[in-house]
Amino acid sequence: MRHIIAVLIENEAGALSRVVGLFSQRNFNIETLTVAPTEDPTLSRLTVTTSGSDRVIEQITKQLNKLIEVVKLVDLTEGDHIEREMMLIKLKATGQHRDEVKRTVDIFRGQIVDVTSSIYTVQLTGDQGKLDAFINAIGEAYVLETVRTGVSGIARGDKVLSI
Amino acid sequence: MEMLSGAEMVIRSLQDQKVEYIYGYPGGAVLHIYDALAQQEKIQHILVRHEQAATHMADGYARASGNPGVVLVTSGPGATNAITGIATAFMDSIPMVVICGQVPSTLIGEDAFQETDMMGVSRPVVKHNFAVKHPSEIPGLIKKAFYIASSGRPGPVVIDIPKDMTTPTDKFEYSYPESVSMRSYSPATRGHSGQIKKAIELLLGARRPVIFVGGGTIGGRACGEATELAQALNYPVITTLMGLGAYPSTDRQWIGMPGMHGTYEANMALHHSDLILNIGARFDDRVTNATEKFCPTAKIIHIDIDPSSISKTIAVDVPIVGPAKSVLLEMLALVAKSDTQPDVGALSDWWVEIDQWRQRHGGRYERNDNGLLKPQQVIEALYKVTKGDAYICSDVGQHQMFAAQYYKYDKPNRWINSGSLGTMGFGFPAAMGVKLHYPDAEVVCVTGDGSFQMNLQELSTCSQYEIPVKIVCLNNQSLGMVRQWQDMNYESRHSQSYVESLPDFHKLMDAYGHKAIIVKTEAELMPALEQAFALKDELVFLDIHIDPTEHVYPMLVPKGSMRDMWLSKTERT
């Protein structure tokens, strides 16, 4: 099963390499990984999406917790949560198809952020499923390039991950 | 406030940490530190002949004393040579602080002379590592390193110090912190009371219980409490390879070591148990055999300071995260005031069954009538001569298993071996580390002709510092454990397991100024051992020729359960 794990980690040189190293060392999957400093500059927040049996996920959270620089973590998929990913996607947009691309972007509430006579560059935000659905709707033949940020997530309601 | 250079801070911090010995080897990147070392007398430095040995010496000391061992090496090859020893300590949860030099910070990343990314190289085999970014951080980082290394589940910590952080002319204010607090690191200080209550209910209701004691009981200094609990309940006790000595091996309630080469009775009792109380053992693959067949009828209580060791390989029923000592103290108090008592009848039936298993194998082995010594005989003789009171520092291989099986450990911290990493070459330097700190104790390295040659250069260190360890070499002219597996799984094709051209150990010891005794027959064995131990101030190497065809038994049958064992070359359960 897919899990989204949010981690607060000391914002120190090498801290990220410990997380990445842990995953490869122990044969865990990383599907996506995002990381950036938080409002407290001494802390970074990292979101990992991973998959595995319950036992593997339990090991992942325990092993992450064991890293000295990890301050706190939560498996967001254990409760209600919001997940978002941002994609920039460069699409062929010529002839009759140009309008169709525009319509699809509107339906998915994307924004065209750059235009040439034959290309739209689109910014789209949503969960992984929405982004995948957009690519399907456009048709892979029209996709020139994509870049996705990976998932970031936050719990719904009054649950807060902070120290 | 005192003004010190980074190099002086390293040494002063170690002094303030009450470090007596450091083991190391100088080189370009640590010359400033070595210069500061030369200008003081509180800390003695032991110059090894290879950095791997420095880490094993520190490790041996740590295992015997429970305190972190300290290593000082230079950058590049100095640091990489230390990796095997760091990994050895990591896998067995041994506290150690390794200070290694690094090229000046201005050169890092430029492939400078003797540059290695030690932070990266060591990362998978340390509990934590630090890189010094400014000289003034040094005292704080050293304090943290000792704290992390020795608290929670212990392990090695590396401090990487670029040379320009130790420049003698750059002075900074020095003060050594009295305590450490880290928001991201706070090991459990006690177990969950609700879980402990649940555990006690299971424990007292068991009809076929075993107490399963691992290295965490020794590391957690909880052997007294574990022993008290076992004796209060009259339950059988099994100690893992890492836990030998945590419970007295000569006591009736001790039924042996579990696993690959565990005793028949320990493996049988585990398999048939209805309750396992695991204290600080991690159910590793050399113990459990096939995990899906592991102890099918047992409920499991697992006490461990490291939550990730619980339910990693074997799912447990009652997990208790906490230090073994405080959890066991709480358990003892609950047992004492509990109204329920163990079912005496069931327990006595259980003991009858265990005693029958004990009769069936009981550590037997066939003696030769052709005069060739059996390795088991040698260990039994060693036990007799040292009255069971020596520190036994083992290398890795068949001799290690024989030393685990046939020496009886009544005290913790006396059996010193590389259990998890299985590092050949560990035993001799580890013994040196122990002997330095316990000069009046008998310290023995039990080794083989293969393992010993992996760190024999330290004979020179022993001459320099007069470290009179005794080396018992079970010489079978082969890599015995490899050979055993080849006999059992590869139709006796002994691929590369025969050690051709062994040195003349007698001449070798002569060259370093040590004594050697060659033993080839049973008649020579006891007198040789007695002579060796009578020479208190000399390193004595006992080159004991043994039967090269001997195998270690019992041995778990691969992919089987705990009750599936070879009991001899021809007999299996």
Side-chain angles (χ1 to χ4, degrees), chain A residues 109-153:
Chain A
R109 299 185 191 190
Q111 290 165 286
I112 296 171
V113 292
D114 189 41
V115 182
T116 73
S117 57
S118 59
I119 286 172
Y120 282 149
T121 302
V122 174
Q123 170 190 317
L124 190 68
T125 309
D127 62 18
Q128 278 187 318
K130 178 181 164 183
L131 304 193
D132 293 343
F134 176 76
I135 293 172
N136 271 334
I138 288 287
E140 277 186 29
Y142 294 95
V143 177
L144 295 168
E145 183 182 352
T146 61
V147 53
R148 295 169 72 148
T149 56
V151 171
S152 47

Side-chain angles (χ1 to χ4, degrees), chain B residues 58 64 78 87 98 143 172 189 200 205 209 243 274 281 389 448 450 520 542 550:
Chain B
V98 180
K143 182 77 187 180
F172 300 89
T189 51
I200 289 295
D274 69 351
D389 202 30
K520 291 187 173 167
L542 289 137
E550 184 62 324

Side-chain angles (χ1 to χ4, degrees), chain B residues 60-74:
Chain B
Y61 159 66
R63 289 179 203 242
S65 68
N67 303 319
V70 184
V71 175
L72 176 58
V73 294
T74 192

Side-chain angles (χ1 to χ4, degrees), chain A residues 54-113:
Chain A
D54 288 351
R55 207 174 82 186
V56 169
I57 298 297
E58 183 182 328
Q59 268 299 307
I60 290 175
T61 54
K62 283 175 168 177
Q63 293 291 350
L64 278 170
N65 251 323
K66 218 165 102 175
L67 293 177
I68 304 287
E69 283 158 337
V70 166
V71 184
K72 222 172 185 182
L73 65 81
V74 62
D75 182 350
L76 291 171
T77 28
E78 278 180 357
D80 287 340
H81 64 281
I82 301 158
E83 63 168 287
R84 290 290 179 270
E85 183 172 3
M86 203 264 276
M87 171 167 72
L88 293 171
I89 181 165
K90 206 169 265 199
L91 301 168
K92 262 190 246 172
T94 49
Q96 288 178 331
H97 187 69
R98 196 168 168 93
D99 286 346
E100 182 57 29
V101 170
K102 175 75 172 70
R103 267 194 297 277
T104 311
V105 170
D106 289 342
I107 292 167
F108 279 84
R109 299 185 191 190
Q111 290 165 286
I112 296 171
V113 292

Side-chain angles (χ1 to χ4, degrees), chain B residues 338-354:
Chain B
S338 169
D339 299 331
T340 19
Q341 291 300 320
D343 182 332
V344 179
L347 194 57
S348 118
D349 291 347
W350 181 224
W351 272 115
V352 167
E353 209 167 339
I354 289 170

Side-chain angles (χ1 to χ4, degrees), chain B residues 102-112 115-117 131-133 160-164:
Chain B
Q102 182 53 278
V103 300
S105 58
T106 49
L107 295 184
I108 288 179
E110 295 186 2
D111 303 319
E115 178 183 358
T116 295
D117 172 16
V132 175
K133 303 275 187 234
D160 195 48
I161 310 183
K163 189 170 185 182
D164 52 338

